Amino acid sequence: MASSLNLSKAFLAQPPYKRCSLRPADQHVSFTPRRDLPSLSGLRVTRRGICVRASAETEVDKSVNTIRFLAIDAVEKAKSGHPGLPMGCAPMGHILFDEVMKYNPKNPYWFNRDRFILSAGHGCMLHYALLHLAGYDSVKEQDLMNFRQWGSRTPGHPENFETPGVEVTTGPLGQGIANAVGLALAEKHLAARFNKPHFDIVDHYTYAILGDGCQMEGIANEACSLAGHWGLGKLIAFYDDNHISIDGDTEIAFTENVETRFQGLGWHVICVKNGNTGYDEIRAAIKEAKTVKDKPTLIKITTTIGFGSPNKANSYSVHGSALGEKEVDATRKNLGWSYGPFHVPEDVKSHWSRHIPEGAALEAEWNAQFADYAKKYPQEAAELKSIVSVNFPTGWETSLPTYTPESPADATRNLSQQCLNALAKVLPGFLGGSADLASSNMTLLKMFGDFQKDAPEGRNLRFGVREHSMGAICNGITCHSPGLIPYCATFFVFTDYMRAAIRLSALSQAGVIYVMTHDSIGLGEDGPTHQPIEHLASFRAMPNILMLRPADGTETAGAYKVAVENRKRPSILALSRQKLPHLPGTSVEGVEKGGYVISDNSAGNRPDVILMGTGSELEIAAKAGEKLREEGRAVRVVSLVSWELFDEQSEEYKESVLPSGVSARVSIEAGSTFGWEKMVGSKGKAIGVDSFGASAPADVLYKKFGLTVDAVVAAAKDLC
């Protein structure tokens, strides 16, 4: 039975698929079913495009229907979910996981596995069913039965940190395909650096399924534009073209010619007319896609959402709701499925069980090849191993530059570039770039070239003006291998364009380093459109992310040390445009604690007043402290470079920095005062900017908005 289930991979002399023709956008695909569809599965198509039994079920149908009903039953039990996509995409999912992809179910993190991304993450029961059949320990029968429940390993959208076998966290539409671009970029980059004659040690594909919703989101177009530019030939995306979204037929809002657009983006495009039962069409399309080495491929597959449901298929009602008991029974009857909920027939189970030994053999073969590779190319093998296993070179942090108060003043964006270039020399997995602002963000790695289609070994990533996809692509790079450390950069205010990707970095434990320059009104004349105000507060409110605002060179180096070490949470470095002095008392160790004392003339942990600042305003706090000391005050000056790190310290340490008995506290920061009450208390004062900025030189803006030494001194005197 196992051999018969694995249908022949021979292809028809005249393949039933075709390259997509360029049709006008107003000639949208009709829902009228074709009468000439092949009857490979023993099903026929009615006027509504709904299958009914026509002849005996084939073995592959049985496997495909197993996938469908595992999804149907899980959604039905949860009374929540999206059954339509799994029912329509089961054929392509079956072919990918059963016939095409290489993976090891017992080691979901084997390096040279093919990657699969379900960008249309709402259809996650397709992925869970496939992982279950393939033998992944992360998705047992009980996990399917606990779909969308508390503590389940089968949450309502795929989450990489919950379910081994899920590569990235998808859900917000378009993010997944952008992640897939990052995964494919990582494969191409590592292959260019480490493959040698007779040693294709890095050799795997990235597959993605995206739907109409993903196609509509702008992030998908941004990312796919880059994929075409970069020539990511090992990226194969399946477009589930079912023409249904939550609001109904996509014709109400989406009539563009997707094929033409993707061809314009530099993709190879193939159309499969019958995604419901045209197994050989799907196989032939994948075979052709693999022959195209210089372009990513989009396989547009026309499917019926909710395939098999007599009354709900091809309608929005099957998109995001359980079928209901009556319709489940009707679907079982319609597809000739006599098994109870969550049942996997023995012959299907037996067939899929082969993936466990086959996967182990694939990994063992690769390990043997890598052992031979390591003997012949020991340096390259050591570098690749460090990328695969996060085994950083001993003492890597000593490469970071050091500074003293005598060092010349400089903008932290410039000091950041010194850190970036130092790290790139010692960390093999360090790479990144900017959204068309490298010369302003100061993020160019000077000793490395650009990653381009014909030069993929380069470590400078030129994202163009595509902030949103830049963040999501970096998420994919991070999730490819734990020792890949991508950074990406733009102006801090433009995190607004990429907030969804940053949030998913935090959610999916992806340690991307966000280098955000022009961090305040201090950028000056560009004015309020470019001056961030609420951004520091908003990221401090985001879980599992480090918001760091260094004040000088030492703190900038410390911020990079923290960012590199935190591989399971992203970091945002907010950096200045204006020059700043190197302050006495700052330290890398202090940055690692998030908040620390940089100067203090008090005794017994009882200063008269505590002055707090971050970034460029720490200098103002320090100068105010000096002025108050001249008047006989006991003043403590505290850098709060990262609130998150400070919160993680012991209560004893926090008390030693901010003693609870001292209520006279003043903070100064060139941003919203929102949240500072946590630090200054109910009796303290927060000096900041609670309106939009203005266009003027930075020194003028600081005076006009009251960010001055005199303002801090006056506030302190009011309190003590």
Side-chain angles (χ1 to χ4, degrees):
M1 179 61 69
S3 61
S4 63
L5 240 173
N6 190 12
L7 295 184
S8 169
K9 297 181 182 178
F11 301 105
L12 303 178
Q14 299 295 324
Y17 70 93
K18 69 180 183 72
R19 293 182 182 84
C20 294
S21 60
L22 306 183
R23 68 177 189 276
D26 60 352
Q27 292 180 336
H28 208 55
V29 174
S30 170
F31 287 109
T32 304
R34 289 179 49 194
R35 294 296 182 182
D36 60 342
L37 292 179
S39 57
L40 295 175
S41 68
L43 302 178
R44 62 183 175 86
V45 179
T46 69
R47 286 179 298 172
R48 292 191 58 189
I50 301 167
C51 67
V52 295
R53 305 305 304 169
S55 61
E57 181 182 55
T58 67
E59 290 87 347
V60 71
D61 285 326
K62 196 169 187 178
S63 180
V64 169
N65 281 335
T66 300
I67 297 165
R68 287 185 175 123
F69 280 99
L70 287 175
I72 290 169
D73 295 336
V75 172
E76 193 63 27
K77 186 175 187 297
K79 304 300 180 189
S80 173
H82 299 75
L85 182 147
M87 295 167 72
C89 290
M92 67 180 89
H94 166 86
I95 290 170
L96 272 175
F97 272 76
D98 189 50
E99 301 178 16
V100 175
M101 288 174 56
K102 60 181 182 183
Y103 53 87
N104 182 3
K106 297 306 178 185
N107 181 10
Y109 305 108
W110 169 45
F111 169 73
N112 207 39
R113 68 193 181 277
D114 289 332
R115 271 70 169 176
F116 172 75
I117 308 302
L118 184 62
S119 187
H122 55 274
C124 56
M125 266 311 306
L126 171 71
H127 200 175
Y128 299 149
L130 292 166
L131 293 174
H132 175 67
L133 291 175
Y136 284 76
D137 293 330
S138 54
V139 187
K140 301 289 190 181
E141 180 179 348
Q142 191 62 40
D143 297 303
L144 298 177
M145 297 176 71
N146 287 334
F147 178 54
R148 289 186 162 221
Q149 304 308 302
W150 177 265
S152 169
R153 291 186 293 184
T154 50
H157 287 83
E159 297 171 4
N160 63 307
F161 57 93
E162 291 286 1
T163 316
V166 171
E167 302 287 353
V168 297
T169 298
T170 61
L173 295 175
Q175 293 284 338
I177 185 61
N179 296 159
V181 172
L183 289 163
L185 180 153
E187 192 278 342
K188 183 167 184 174
H189 173 70
L190 295 177
R193 286 176 59 184
F194 295 107
N195 285 355
K196 301 293 182 183
H198 310 297
F199 285 102
D200 288 336
I201 207 72
V202 183
D203 181 18
H204 50 267
Y205 280 82
T206 301
Y207 300 96
I209 293 178
L210 67 159
D212 290 304
C214 294
Q215 293 284 19
M216 295 184 214
E217 288 285 1
I219 185 175
N221 196 70
E222 287 184 24
C224 291
S225 173
L226 279 167
H229 169 73
W230 286 327
L232 301 180
K234 286 189 174 178
L235 172 60
I236 300 176
F238 298 81
Y239 168 28
D240 175 31
D241 176 37
N242 62 41
H243 301 285
I244 297 293
S245 63
I246 292 177
D247 280 352
D249 192 315
T250 55
E251 286 191 347
I252 63 176
F254 186 61
T255 53
E256 69 182 48
N257 191 305
V258 172
E259 308 95 89
T260 307
R261 173 161 63 91
F262 270 77
Q263 288 173 338
L265 293 175
W267 286 57
H268 181 68
V269 181
I270 305 169
C271 287
V272 172
K273 294 181 179 180
N274 176 19
N276 298 326
T277 60
Y279 306 127
D280 283 338
E281 295 184 49
I282 298 171
R283 294 188 184 100
I286 296 170
K287 182 180 181 182
E288 179 182 324
K290 286 194 167 188
T291 68
V292 179
K293 307 296 185 183
D294 62 340
K295 295 180 180 181
T297 295
L298 180 76
I299 303 177
K300 177 177 173 287
I301 304 183
T302 300
T303 66
T304 301
I305 191 171
F307 181 84
S309 170
N311 302 299
K312 294 188 176 184
N314 200 31
S315 71
Y316 70 91
S317 61
V318 77
H319 173 89
S321 303
L323 293 178
E325 184 177 346
K326 289 183 179 179
E327 190 64 15
V328 170
D329 290 342
T331 304
R332 275 184 156 78
K333 182 178 179 181
N334 192 37
L335 291 176
W337 195 253
S338 59
Y339 305 100
F342 300 102
H343 182 79
V344 178
E346 287 302 318
D347 49 353
V348 174
K349 189 181 298 183
S350 174
H351 169 73
W352 278 84
S353 67
R354 80 185 193 284
H355 289 290
I356 294 175
E358 286 180 1
L362 284 169
E363 182 174 356
E365 180 183 2
W366 185 85
N367 287 339
Q369 184 188 33
F370 186 77
D372 292 340
Y373 175 87
K375 292 176 183 176
K376 193 166 184 179
Y377 304 102
Q379 181 177 345
E380 290 86 348
E383 286 192 1
L384 180 57
K385 190 174 181 180
S386 75
I387 290 171
V388 172
S389 61
V390 205
N391 184 20
F392 295 152
T394 302
W396 64 268
E397 66 278 5
T398 61
S399 69
L400 287 164
T402 57
Y403 306 90
T404 70
E406 290 69 43
S407 300
D410 208 346
T412 51
R413 63 170 174 166
N414 294 331
L415 302 168
S416 164
Q417 185 173 49
Q418 296 171 17
C419 293
L420 287 171
N421 279 271
L423 290 171
K425 293 177 183 178
V426 297
L427 297 176
F430 200 78
L431 74 168
S434 176
D436 198 49
L437 288 168
S439 60
S440 190
N441 296 143
M442 310 305 291
T443 50
L444 192 68
L445 301 180
K446 297 179 181 179
M447 71 292 293
F448 297 109
D450 293 345
F451 178 95
Q452 294 292 348
K453 181 177 182 177
D454 298 321
E457 70 281 358
R459 287 161 70 176
N460 286 295
L461 305 180
R462 302 289 191 169
F463 290 105
V465 189
R466 301 182 183 92
E467 293 93 348
H468 197 181
S469 69
M470 174 176 71
I473 288 169
C474 284
N475 286 340
I477 294 171
T478 307
C479 290
H480 182 279
S481 294
L484 285 175
I485 310 172
Y487 66 88
C488 60
T490 185
F491 291 174
F492 191 31
V493 75
F494 296 140
T495 53
D496 287 341
Y497 282 84
M498 57 195 302
R499 185 171 298 272
I502 296 175
R503 185 176 187 273
L504 284 171
S505 297
L507 178 62
S508 56
Q509 303 175 10
V512 177
I513 301 175
Y514 291 94
V515 182
M516 299 291 123
T517 67
H518 298 63
D519 68 338
S520 72
I521 61 171
L523 67 87
E525 292 85 350
D526 274 344
T529 62
H530 283 51
Q531 293 168 359
I533 299 298
E534 74 281 10
H535 298 71
L536 287 164
S538 70
F539 286 113
R540 286 168 180 155
M542 186 178 285
N544 196 47
I545 194 166
L546 297 175
M547 181 67 249
L548 299 124
R549 190 165 183 249
D552 63 4
T554 299
E555 287 202 342
T556 301
Y560 272 105
K561 183 174 186 290
V562 166
V564 169
E565 289 175 337
N566 277 269
R567 292 296 79 230
K568 289 196 173 183
R569 57 179 169 178
S571 302
I572 301 177
L573 278 62
L575 305 168
S576 75
R577 177 180 183 268
Q578 69 271 38
K579 290 184 177 182
L580 304 175
H582 300 274
L583 300 172
T586 58
S587 70
V588 170
E589 296 75 20
V591 174
E592 291 178 298
K593 293 182 180 297
Y596 64 105
V597 178
I598 68 163
S599 66
D600 189 6
N601 68 328
S602 67
N605 203 29
R606 292 287 297 183
D608 296 329
V609 64
I610 299 173
L611 309 181
M612 294 170 270
T614 73
S616 46
E617 291 73 65
L618 186 60
E619 176 196 6
I620 296 174
K623 287 182 176 179
E626 293 172 1
K627 194 169 184 178
L628 288 166
R629 289 176 192 133
E630 291 173 358
E631 299 177 7
R633 311 275 183 164
V635 182
R636 175 174 294 177
V637 179
V638 172
S639 170
L640 282 170
V641 57
S642 171
W643 293 16
E644 299 80 20
L645 291 173
F646 186 65
D647 284 344
E648 293 170 7
Q649 305 309 309
S650 67
E651 291 302 319
E652 291 77 9
Y653 177 78
K654 287 186 281 189
E655 179 68 17
S656 74
V657 176
L658 299 178
S660 55
V662 179
S663 61
R665 303 181 183 187
V666 180
S667 70
I668 182 167
E669 185 173 65
S672 170
T673 59
F674 183 84
W676 270 102
E677 62 274 8
K678 176 180 178 179
M679 300 300 181
V680 301
S682 60
K683 297 181 180 180
K685 291 189 176 183
I687 298 172
V689 181
D690 289 316
S691 63
F692 291 118
S695 180
D699 57 343
V700 173
L701 291 172
Y702 269 66
K703 291 177 183 178
K704 294 294 185 180
F705 282 99
L707 299 172
T708 64
V709 171
D710 289 344
V712 175
V713 169
K717 288 181 176 180
D718 284 345
L719 297 173
C720 64

